[in-house]
Amino acid sequence: MMQDEIREKINSAEMILVGLGEEFQCPASVKKQAEYERAKEILQKEGILWLLPAWDDYCERETKSDTSVVLQKLADILADKDYFVISTAMNECIADTPWKKGRLVMPCGTATKLQCAAGCGENPVTISEEKSRLVEEVMGDLWEGKLYPDKLEHLGKCGKCGGSMVLNNIYAEHYNENGYMEQWDRYTGWLQRTLNRKVLILELGVGMRFPTVIRFPFEKIAYFNQKAEFYRIHEKLYQLTEELKGKGKGIYKNAIDCLRNL
């Protein structure tokens, strides 16, 4: 079985690079809910799509998605390996998975930090439990097809310019990248050590939404590192380029479903 082959590759690799993409952002079980698309349309109309990652998190919990269980399984399998995880998905369950300390970077942001909506330069801050509960309350309203924008005022004001605070992710009009840059520096430093090492690259559920973050860089790493092996798993965009022929495999399968049986 393909899963057995991947487990063998994990065991024999010196270093493992993992990319998590869109299939982890919104699993199929979540998309099937009528409430999901209805709320997304409301957020789009109101110009507050920066709430979308929080909405995805809420829907995962309401639909009892097992994404967090699958990610926990992956973390357990990788526990004794030298690895790094980069995710363009923004789910809280990815941030909460017990990866090795400092081995996860989420360059598109999450629902776990707040930033100034005006992008004044003040560094993002970790959201408090009180404000997390507030966001959860707003998500509960959305599940019922309602939105009360006034509640969002309680997310607070920027300490530098007095502007409104919003969730720190790519949907914010003035996305503050300082929220992930420290981890990004660690990631690029780790990548430098992969040269001429036996590296296993696992690209999981990554489509073409942000190809310059994971998809294209992973192809480049696999191409130039003669010892690299590359597995691209996706329910649609699983094909490998001609240049990577013989360096790995493209697997036609939803990445979450594949990991579930790993």
Side-chain angles (χ1 to χ4, degrees), residues 78-132:
L78 298 176
D80 296 327
K81 307 301 294 188
D82 183 1
Y83 69 85
F84 215 108
V85 179
I86 176 170
S87 174
T88 53
M90 295 166 264
N91 297 34
E92 186 177 359
C93 64
I94 294 174
D96 288 344
T97 299
W99 313 109
K100 284 183 180 179
K101 186 175 180 181
R103 296 303 180 94
L104 168 70
V105 61
M106 301 177 72
C108 294
T110 65
T112 63
K113 291 183 178 181
L114 292 170
Q115 67 158 81
C116 173
C120 70
E122 185 78 348
N123 281 337
V125 296
T126 300
I127 193 169
S128 66
E129 289 186 15
E130 178 185 1
K131 290 175 182 177
S132 287

Side-chain angles (χ1 to χ4, degrees), residues 65-78:
S65 166
D66 66 348
T67 303
S68 59
V69 175
V70 170
L71 290 169
Q72 173 70 62
K73 183 176 184 179
L74 178 61
D76 290 342
I77 292 171
L78 298 176

Side-chain angles (χ1 to χ4, degrees), residues 43 48-52 54 110-117 123-139 147-159 162-169 172:
L43 296 178
I48 49 176
L49 271 177
W50 49 266
L51 276 173
L52 189 57
T110 65
T112 63
K113 291 183 178 181
L114 292 170
Q115 67 158 81
C116 173
N123 281 337
V125 296
T126 300
I127 193 169
S128 66
E129 289 186 15
E130 178 185 1
K131 290 175 182 177
S132 287
R133 287 193 295 271
L134 170 64
V135 172
E136 187 80 0
E137 181 181 329
V138 174
M139 296 302 99
L147 180 67
Y148 303 103
D150 290 350
K151 290 183 178 181
L152 299 174
E153 295 177 4
H154 298 291
L155 288 177
K157 301 294 182 181
C158 173
S164 300
M165 298 295 280
V166 298
L167 297 181
N168 177 228
N169 59 66

Side-chain angles (χ1 to χ4, degrees), residues 49-62:
L49 271 177
W50 49 266
L51 276 173
L52 189 57
W55 176 239
D56 287 338
D57 292 336
Y58 185 89
C59 289
E60 285 211 39
R61 292 189 291 272
E62 287 296 312

Side-chain angles (χ1 to χ4, degrees), residues 162-211:
S164 300
M165 298 295 280
V166 298
L167 297 181
N168 177 228
N169 59 66
I170 198 74
Y171 294 108
E173 184 177 359
H174 301 284
Y175 178 42
N176 189 335
E177 296 184 334
N178 289 336
Y180 73 86
M181 285 309 299
E182 181 178 351
Q183 278 303 105
W184 185 264
D185 290 340
R186 290 180 180 175
Y187 170 60
T188 55
W190 184 90
L191 283 179
Q192 291 173 4
R193 297 195 290 109
T194 63
L195 189 63
N196 293 322
R197 302 286 293 277
K198 191 174 182 180
V199 179
L200 174 63
I201 302 172
L202 297 176
E203 187 187 280
L204 308 174
V206 180
M208 294 299 291
R209 184 151 184 242
F210 302 109

